[in-house]
Amino acid sequence: TVQHLSCLVLLGTTLWGCSQSQGTSSAGNSASELPIGVALALTGNASLYGQESLNGIKVAETRFNAQKLTTPPIRMVIQDTGSDEAGAVNAFQTLINQANVLGIIGPTLSQQAFSADPIAERAGVPVVAPSNTAVGIPEIGLFISRVSAPVSVVAPAAIKAALKLNPQLKRVAVFYAQDDAFSRSETEIFQKTLKAQGLEIVTVQKGQTTDTDFQSQVSNALRLNPDLVVISGLAADGGNLIRQLRELNYKGLIIGGNGVNTVNLFPVCRAACDGVLVAQAYSPENPSPTNQTFRQAFEAQLQQVPSQFSAQAYTAAQVLVESLNALGKTNDLATMPRGELRQKLNQQLLQGTYDTPLGEIKFTPNGDVIQRQFYVGQIQMNPDGNSGKFALLQ
Ligand code: LEU
């Protein structure tokens, strides 16, 4: 049966009134489109990241279909996961059982992935994570891979950059969101790296991703005179923490993790965001022709510069589409039974090498990304205190 799930594509709509498909596409029933599931946090406290990822998906769908990379063309089937585990589980079930997707790009948070990915694994549906950076994501199963380099690979670069800016650094206050799997994983790596670099961790302060008031944690930490602060959290809690550190007169360097790598931080900490260091897995300044072509297409379609989360989501789509393209050379994708196609797609994607906006990438047998280029950005706020940018450190 041909799928009619256009209602799923519209954000914020419910499934009521959708013509429910059979969920099977067997030989003899030819599909007119190749559905790729996209499960992102489009509402809730992680929604700003999900929206950045969705922008990458939109540009991917436009470009890859214009290039006619697959026959039949791909169609992105978008499901809002909200920002919690239950929403991600629901979205995965809908995409797998109702939309009958070939693979899934998502979910936004590692915290959601640890709950939702096992569902795809059991169903034999490949998942390419665009932004999960906690240690242990590809290990969830054979069908789980990611294009988002893990905290263990990215986070240490920020500490090395801080030491380069100020070799005298000694006393570090560490903050993290204890209700979030990625933040717990990242702080572990940060703390290990700090110790390996001979720095002293004078305190470890905990909060929640839903917190906005960090007065007591900040006061506790500042009493110990740190000269470096290292934060693992998401944008709203991280931004408030950064602002309150400056309001309570902290003058030293601040490192933020993957959760603060977004311009959506700027309205939260405003002028106080200035100077924060962040390690990044993507730079729009990467001069490779692949990246510059991507950047131009992105800017033409969306009138903004692509962010890391946008580039990573685009890359996840590229991996799936190029793998379908390779399979399509010797197979009829329109008639191949869905289970077989999902299985072959997973094998194919793990074998390939991809020339992406993130640079050339490929995968470990386990599904973790192998990437070479990383960056450290330093936030430069404009005098208006509202807008700013991540300036690349050399
Ligand atoms: N890297 C984070 C995670 O793995 C998500 C990102 C959108 C801040 O949960």
Side-chain angles (χ1 to χ4, degrees), residues 136-159:
I137 294 288
E139 289 77 6
I140 293 171
L142 297 173
F143 283 84
I144 315 300
S145 60
R146 65 168 148 203
V147 298
S148 42
V151 289
S152 48
V153 172
V154 183
I159 292 172

Side-chain angles (χ1 to χ4, degrees), residues 46 49-50 53 108-111 131-134 137 146 148 151 180-183 233-234 258-260 309:
Y49 304 114
S53 302
T108 297
L109 301 175
S110 296
Q111 179 72 27
S131 62
N132 301 157
T133 57
I137 294 288
R146 65 168 148 203
S148 42
V151 289
D180 178 60
F182 139 73
S183 300
L234 301 182
N258 187 261
V260 313
F309 293 115

Side-chain angles (χ1 to χ4, degrees), residues 9-12 38-55 78-83 108 112:
V9 179
L10 300 170
L11 304 185
V38 177
L40 294 170
L42 301 174
T43 52
N45 66 336
S47 62
L48 296 174
Y49 304 114
Q51 299 291 348
E52 286 187 43
S53 302
L54 184 60
N55 283 341
I78 294 155
Q79 273 289 91
D80 178 13
T81 63
S83 294
T108 297
Q112 298 176 298

Side-chain angles (χ1 to χ4, degrees), residues 64 69 126 128 145-147 286 288 290-291 312 314-327 344-364 367-373:
F64 298 143
L69 284 182
V128 183
S145 60
R146 65 168 148 203
V147 298
N286 174 353
S288 80
T290 304
N291 180 52
Q312 287 177 322
Y314 175 92
T315 298
Q318 180 182 342
V319 163
L320 286 167
V321 170
E322 287 187 7
S323 301
L324 287 167
N325 171 275
L327 284 178
K344 287 211 161 107
L345 175 57
N346 193 56
Q347 282 167 359
Q348 179 69 41
L349 80 88
L350 291 172
Q351 282 164 24
T353 301
Y354 308 88
D355 179 14
T356 79
L358 312 179
E360 188 184 282
I361 63 163
K362 50 190 179 182
F363 295 98
T364 65
D368 217 344
V369 66
I370 302 175
Q371 181 183 352
R372 283 192 299 255
Q373 290 154 281

